[in-house]
Amino acid sequence: MKKVVVLAACCLLSIGNSFAQDADALRDAGDAAMKAKDYPTAVAKYSEYLKQNNYQDTVRIFNCGFAANQAKNYAEAAKFFDMAVKMNYNMDDAYVGAAMAYRNLNQTEDFLRTTEAGLKAIPADNKNKANLEKLVYAYCIKQGQAAQKKGDLTAAEKMYKEVVDLSNKSYQSKAYYCLGAMMYGNGAKILQAATPIATSDPEKYKAEKAKADKDFKAAKEYLTQAVALDPNDENSKKILASIDEVLK
């Protein structure tokens, strides 16, 4: 009986060593693929290795996220960068990597969740804080313009206001301009549609003009903020002059 027990123990040890060797081989293959910039292979090898490693190797978790982004496998990139963030490994770069992945997946809520957390966690003097703000600016302005084009002003306003909350004054100014120009355009549209009934239905015209004036006043507030941040913003100044004429 003792011989059987010893034999079984030896077999288990042998299997354990075999798994360890397989894992090491996968890790090394992933490293080699990374060095060769063969990113799809790196993702495949690292993914298998990390499963066997029970996701304990923070270096390869981060590397797998990087390789996945390079391979345009954005879902995997987001997964591994999120792991790196949770494990507090290379956190500033991991936040940027995850944000880029969610941007490319067009997953707005995940993108905003990631960038908001990253901007809170990353120190002001870290270059990746500026990198995250740049990502937020570019993504949110683009999404805001797309929503505005579809006529969804509520969604557009939400996206533009994400930029207003950043620390970069240039980004803030552009976001305020977008908000102001949007509200001015909507007010002008309402007023133009109501003008033909100014004489035939003065009460309805009055109600519509009140709606337009509300938008003009909101636009004025936004554009005033834009000029305060950027005194050279001639576009905002032109619209402000037009608003002053309309509100006389």
Side-chain angles (χ1 to χ4, degrees), residues 27 31 34 42-43 46-47 49-51 53-69 76-90 94:
R27 179 199 62 205
D31 289 346
M34 279 287 286
V43 174
Y46 280 147
S47 294
Y49 160 67
L50 288 165
K51 285 179 187 175
N53 176 256
N54 198 28
Y55 300 98
Q56 296 302 306
D57 188 335
T58 54
V59 173
R60 271 70 185 198
I61 286 171
F62 180 88
N63 285 354
C64 195
F66 177 85
N69 252 352
E76 286 295 283
K79 181 178 85 172
F80 284 105
F81 278 129
D82 280 344
M83 282 187 199
V85 166
K86 287 176 183 175
M87 299 173 84
N88 202 28
Y89 177 80
N90 206 6

Side-chain angles (χ1 to χ4, degrees), residues 7 20 28 57 59 82-83 95 116 120 122 133 145 149 159 187 205-206 208 215 218 229 237:
L7 180 61
D28 294 345
D57 188 335
V59 173
D82 280 344
M83 282 187 199
Y95 270 121
E116 182 180 354
K120 287 179 180 177
I122 299 172
E133 288 211 346
Q145 289 173 339
K149 190 175 181 180
M159 289 294 100
Y205 172 77
K206 184 178 178 181
E208 291 301 298
D215 283 348
L229 289 162
K237 290 177 183 178

Side-chain angles (χ1 to χ4, degrees), residues 35-243:
K35 189 174 181 180
K37 297 185 179 180
D38 181 358
Y39 297 117
T41 298
V43 174
K45 297 300 182 182
Y46 280 147
S47 294
E48 285 302 311
Y49 160 67
L50 288 165
K51 285 179 187 175
Q52 294 189 27
N53 176 256
N54 198 28
Y55 300 98
Q56 296 302 306
D57 188 335
T58 54
V59 173
R60 271 70 185 198
I61 286 171
F62 180 88
N63 285 354
C64 195
F66 177 85
N69 252 352
Q70 295 298 111
K72 299 183 180 180
N73 187 348
Y74 301 121
E76 286 295 283
K79 181 178 85 172
F80 284 105
F81 278 129
D82 280 344
M83 282 187 199
V85 166
K86 287 176 183 175
M87 299 173 84
N88 202 28
Y89 177 80
N90 206 6
M91 199 166 62
D92 58 329
D93 283 324
Y95 270 121
V96 172
M100 290 172 66
Y102 285 125
R103 174 200 64 189
N104 291 327
L105 289 167
N106 204 29
Q107 294 182 3
T108 299
E109 292 307 315
D110 288 319
F111 173 83
L112 293 176
R113 169 185 58 77
T114 299
T115 53
E116 182 180 354
L119 289 170
K120 287 179 180 177
I122 299 172
D125 59 351
N126 186 307
K127 65 180 176 61
N128 277 322
K129 187 142 190 151
N131 289 337
L132 270 185
E133 288 211 346
K134 187 175 181 180
L135 285 170
V136 172
Y137 167 72
Y139 182 81
C140 290
I141 292 294
K142 182 179 179 181
Q143 292 295 312
Q145 289 173 339
Q148 185 178 341
K149 190 175 181 180
K150 291 178 182 177
D152 190 347
L153 302 193
T154 300
E157 183 180 28
K158 180 180 185 297
M159 289 294 100
Y160 294 145
K161 284 187 174 179
E162 291 289 340
V163 179
V164 166
D165 290 336
L166 301 178
S167 66
N168 185 299
K169 290 184 178 181
S170 177
Y171 297 163
Q172 288 178 333
S173 177
K174 288 180 175 66
Y176 277 123
Y177 170 77
C178 288
L179 284 162
M182 179 177 72
M183 297 309 295
Y184 172 76
N186 197 58
K189 183 179 178 182
I190 293 170
L191 190 59
Q192 184 178 29
T195 298
I197 61 169
T199 303
S200 61
D201 193 344
E203 287 303 313
K204 186 174 181 181
Y205 172 77
K206 184 178 178 181
E208 291 301 298
K209 188 175 185 306
K211 291 179 187 176
D213 285 351
K214 184 179 179 181
D215 283 348
F216 290 140
K217 288 174 183 176
K220 185 172 183 177
E221 288 182 14
Y222 289 134
L223 294 167
T224 299
Q225 290 273 23
V227 173
L229 289 162
D230 180 9
N232 296 317
D233 182 357
E234 296 302 323
N235 289 326
S236 290
K237 290 177 183 178
K238 287 178 183 177
I239 299 176
L240 280 169
S242 296
I243 293 172

